Amino acid sequence: MTDFVLEGRRVFVAGHRGMVGSACVRRLQRENCEVLVAGREEVDLTRQADVESWMERNKPDVVIVAAAKVGGILANDSFPAEFLYQNLMIESHLIHAAYKVGVAKLLFLGSSCIYPREAAQPIREDALLTGPLEKTNEWYAIAKIAGIKLCQAYRKQYGCDFISAMPCNLYGPGDNFHPTGSHVIPGLLRRFHEAKLAGAESVTCWGTGAPRREFLYVDDLADACVFLLKTYSESEHINVGTGDDITIKELAEEIRRVTGFEGSLVWDASKPDGTMLKRMDVSRLGELGWRASTPFTEGVRKAYDCFVGAQC
Ligand code: GDP
């Protein structure tokens, strides 16, 4: 099959202010296409009429659905209605409007939390819907599974070239560094940095430190998105990751080194661990010819530089 041509196309990045959307905008600047963005003040993606009228007026050729309500393990667990409702609305409105205005290609982004809590490792794409979800993020997961199914349904019924990609845990510039609402890498970068400045003796991390996670630098994801837009056109969603995982304890040690904090680590087991394992099988993407390129320490350092304001 010949590759989809991005050159000269109007590419709408929904969610361009977020970590993933802003990385997609950076990456698309090398593609000779026209990048379209719309701030929340211009179009509220949770409102169907806003989305449909913006899409009618701007007629993109390509849409990347990088807009979502996201957050770390505590945020997901604490705001279930927001995570389920907002994500269902955002994806439904974008996918349906893309169909109505005849978008040539749409890429929907989800997350590895769509897979069953006890999925066999590494997790293959066909593990979807084979068992119960992890409770701490099931609201977000259900919304993202519905997004995959929407893309498949519009492909099946209307022949739309809508594809879905499921990245592992992401990190990098533009992340949310909120002390409690964020994911583990930005959360710990902030906590270690502040502890270093305050001369604190210890830093408290959540859970037991035993869970393993696979982390992908966000600019690598953006590169994979461009690759998939050009080369992938199948109903089944596809995993995007590095194929490697580390324990949260190892991660905390890495963040201690990068931030230069010299005190000790304390583990607060009253906070949830979440799922113990979620390493993805990325062999399908590898066979297509894509792999991640940013070494982990370099990526964490760049995320830290962004947090301390050196460059972002
Ligand atoms: P998850 O993959 O959905 O569980 O996403 P998170 O990035 O929120 O959490 C990953 C793991 O890191 C979990 O086992 C957390 O308990 C652990 N963790 C340790 N310290 C922190 C922290 O300060 N913030 C967050 N979000 N997670 C932490």
Side-chain angles (χ1 to χ4, degrees):
M1 209 186 82
T2 51
D3 283 0
F4 180 82
V5 177
L6 271 181
E7 190 173 346
R9 305 275 193 160
R10 293 163 61 76
V11 184
F12 174 35
V13 179
H16 72 288
R17 293 206 176 114
M19 174 173 69
V20 172
S22 56
C24 288
V25 171
R26 280 197 294 282
R27 178 61 187 79
L28 286 166
Q29 272 149 10
R30 310 207 312 257
E31 286 299 319
N32 243 339
C33 57
E34 187 185 347
V35 178
L36 311 182
V37 296
R40 197 166 294 190
E41 60 296 337
E42 194 183 345
V43 43
D44 177 347
L45 298 174
T46 63
R47 305 213 163 252
Q48 187 171 26
D50 273 25
V51 177
E52 292 199 343
S53 89
W54 190 92
M55 294 278 272
E56 281 292 343
R57 277 181 281 121
N58 291 279
K59 296 232 168 4
D61 303 304
V62 178
V63 174
I64 299 179
V65 183
K69 167 83 182 165
V70 297
I73 192 163
L74 271 199
N76 259 276
D77 213 18
S78 314
F79 308 109
E82 286 175 36
F83 277 81
L84 183 54
Y85 171 75
Q86 291 188 24
N87 286 310
L88 283 172
M89 292 303 108
I90 292 168
E91 68 202 24
S92 302
H93 298 157
L94 285 167
I95 291 167
H96 186 66
Y99 152 65
K100 280 181 72 177
V101 304
V103 162
K105 187 118 198 178
L106 177 143
L107 170 61
F108 173 69
L109 289 166
S111 147
S112 57
C113 72
I114 58 162
Y115 291 114
R117 178 184 164 83
E118 306 292 343
Q121 306 285 306
I123 311 173
R124 288 157 41 112
E125 284 87 352
D126 60 12
L128 185 65
L129 294 174
T130 56
L133 297 167
E134 156 62 29
K135 285 287 171 208
T136 49
N137 54 29
E138 67 175 337
W139 319 100
Y140 180 79
I142 289 283
K144 290 295 178 181
I145 293 170
I148 295 174
K149 291 293 163 192
L150 275 173
C151 290
Q152 292 176 346
Y154 281 70
R155 174 180 289 273
K156 186 171 167 165
Q157 189 173 343
Y158 305 124
C160 299
D161 191 358
F162 293 176
I163 58 173
S164 303
M166 299 300 122
C168 60
N169 290 38
L170 300 168
Y171 69 100
D175 211 338
N176 162 17
F177 289 90
H178 189 275
T180 53
S182 69
H183 287 101
V184 62
I185 292 185
L188 292 186
L189 282 171
R190 168 186 281 271
R191 211 166 304 137
F192 278 84
H193 177 71
E194 290 177 351
K196 182 179 74 171
L197 295 188
E201 282 180 6
S202 65
V203 160
T204 303
C205 307
W206 300 351
T208 60
R212 303 183 72 90
R213 292 290 184 274
E214 175 182 355
F215 295 102
L216 180 69
Y217 187 62
V218 70
D219 287 85
D220 285 352
L221 171 66
D223 190 61
C225 289
V226 167
F227 177 84
L228 289 169
L229 283 173
K230 289 180 182 173
T231 60
Y232 191 71
S233 179
E234 283 176 38
S235 178
E236 191 175 34
H237 61 283
I238 186 160
N239 291 342
V240 186
T242 62
D244 296 321
D245 62 1
I246 58 170
T247 65
I248 296 300
K249 262 201 183 110
E250 288 164 337
L251 170 71
E253 287 299 341
E254 177 75 14
I255 292 185
R256 172 162 52 183
R257 275 192 293 280
V258 168
T259 57
F261 172 68
E262 287 176 351
S264 58
L265 303 187
V266 176
W267 293 91
D268 174 3
S270 72
K271 295 278 196 313
D273 266 340
T275 192
M276 293 310 285
L277 299 171
K278 56 171 169 174
R279 181 163 69 92
M280 295 199 300
D281 184 329
V282 292
S283 55
R284 279 181 71 225
L285 184 57
E287 278 154 24
L288 289 174
W290 187 90
R291 67 193 66 256
S293 63
T294 307
F296 189 55
T297 303
E298 181 187 323
V300 172
R301 193 162 286 286
K302 284 184 177 162
Y304 184 49
D305 288 347
C306 167
F307 175 63
V308 295
Q311 57 184 120
C312 200

